[in-house]
Amino acid sequence: MSLSVVQGFTKSLAMTVLSEIGDKTFFAAAILAMRHPRRLVLSGCLAALIVMTIFSAVVGWAAPNLLSRRWTHHITTLLFFGFGLWSLWDGFKEDGEAEELAEVEAKLDADWKTNTSSAKGNSKDDDDLKKHRRPFLMQFFSPIFLKAFSITFFGEWGDKSQLATIGLAADENPVGVVLGGIIGQALCTTAAVLGGKSLASQISEKFVALSGGVLFIVFGLQSLLSTVES
């Protein structure tokens, strides 16, 4: 494995873990896992995150073909500094603690009440029969899987971690960025699904935000001091 792949892998892994822990999609996965089968929630969330990571890396990899390598390098450097300051600001805000957890929980609670009230007329025997007749593979395309996939995918769209992945893939080896991003997403999502709300509520968003901000600043300094290949 080449040095560029390892460097892209380590940067992407560290950035993903610190960006996703305490994120809205992290809380959503934790709450969904309390109400639905964990394997369906985990598979839906992971599928969305893998698709988003690969898509972001491809966009970042293609960027130097549209702009010069020097311009993409400078833009990436600015992104790292910008995301670093953004994360530090979030960390220093006094009212940021558990704000996202409450917001996500309220949204999912409203959706949960709507779904349960509309499903009261269904018979349990009919539900068991339908589940028994459904092929094993088709269970992964159930409404629960699609709900976990859509919430995670659209929650990550335009998020700080997606934009950072694009910038990282434009400046580092995209294969390493994809591998590090997928492993980081898998670790965070698995922890959220297995740990549930109890784990999510114990995470210090302030510490995670400050740590992520420092990491982005370090990446920005490293990118600023590195040479650009023409």
Side-chain angles (χ1 to χ4, degrees):
M1 187 179 289
S2 65
L3 181 62
S4 63
V5 175
V6 174
Q7 185 170 318
F9 173 84
T10 53
K11 281 188 174 183
S12 181
L13 178 62
M15 180 202 70
T16 301
V17 170
L18 288 177
S19 296
E20 291 303 319
I21 290 182
D23 195 20
K24 285 185 179 180
T25 52
F26 182 89
F27 292 138
I31 297 172
L32 284 172
M34 298 175 60
R35 302 170 177 175
H36 304 291
R38 289 180 175 177
R39 62 184 180 86
L40 292 179
V41 174
L42 180 62
S43 58
C45 292
L46 279 181
L49 292 170
I50 290 173
V51 170
M52 182 63 71
T53 300
I54 295 175
F55 172 78
S56 302
V58 169
V59 172
W61 170 78
N65 297 322
L66 303 175
L67 299 171
S68 67
R69 172 67 65 176
R70 182 175 298 275
W71 271 104
T72 55
H73 179 81
H74 293 330
I75 292 173
T76 300
T77 302
L78 290 175
L79 283 175
F80 284 147
F81 280 121
F83 291 146
L85 295 175
W86 183 2
S87 297
L88 291 175
W89 171 257
D90 287 341
F92 283 119
K93 281 197 307 183
E94 294 182 358
D95 58 344
E97 199 75 20
E99 189 176 286
E100 290 193 8
L101 175 59
E103 180 183 345
V104 173
E105 190 172 15
K107 184 177 180 180
L108 290 178
D109 276 340
D111 187 49
W112 172 263
K113 290 177 181 178
T114 302
N115 291 337
T116 51
S117 61
S118 62
K120 278 184 178 179
N122 292 337
S123 168
K124 185 178 183 299
D125 294 336
D126 291 342
D127 291 341
D128 292 339
L129 183 60
K130 290 178 182 178
K131 185 176 180 181
H132 179 72
R133 289 179 177 176
R134 182 186 299 167
F136 176 77
L137 185 62
M138 290 303 296
Q139 292 184 26
F140 287 95
F141 295 94
S142 68
I144 299 171
F145 175 91
L146 296 176
K147 180 179 182 180
F149 182 94
S150 59
I151 289 176
T152 304
F153 185 86
F154 292 109
E156 286 294 311
W157 188 265
D159 191 54
K160 178 171 50 180
S161 58
Q162 186 204 14
L163 299 177
T165 301
I166 294 174
L168 197 61
D171 213 37
E172 300 289 344
N173 189 296
V175 175
V177 172
V178 169
L179 292 176
I182 289 177
I183 292 178
Q185 300 281 15
L187 291 174
C188 293
T189 307
T190 302
V193 169
L194 297 181
K197 184 185 172 185
S198 59
L199 174 63
S201 61
Q202 293 175 11
I203 291 175
S204 172
E205 290 184 51
K206 185 170 186 177
F207 175 77
V208 173
L210 292 176
S211 301
V214 171
L215 183 69
F216 278 124
I217 296 295
V218 170
F219 285 171
L221 290 173
Q222 189 269 337
S223 180
L224 181 66
L225 298 175
S226 63
T227 57
V228 185
E229 297 179 3
S230 56

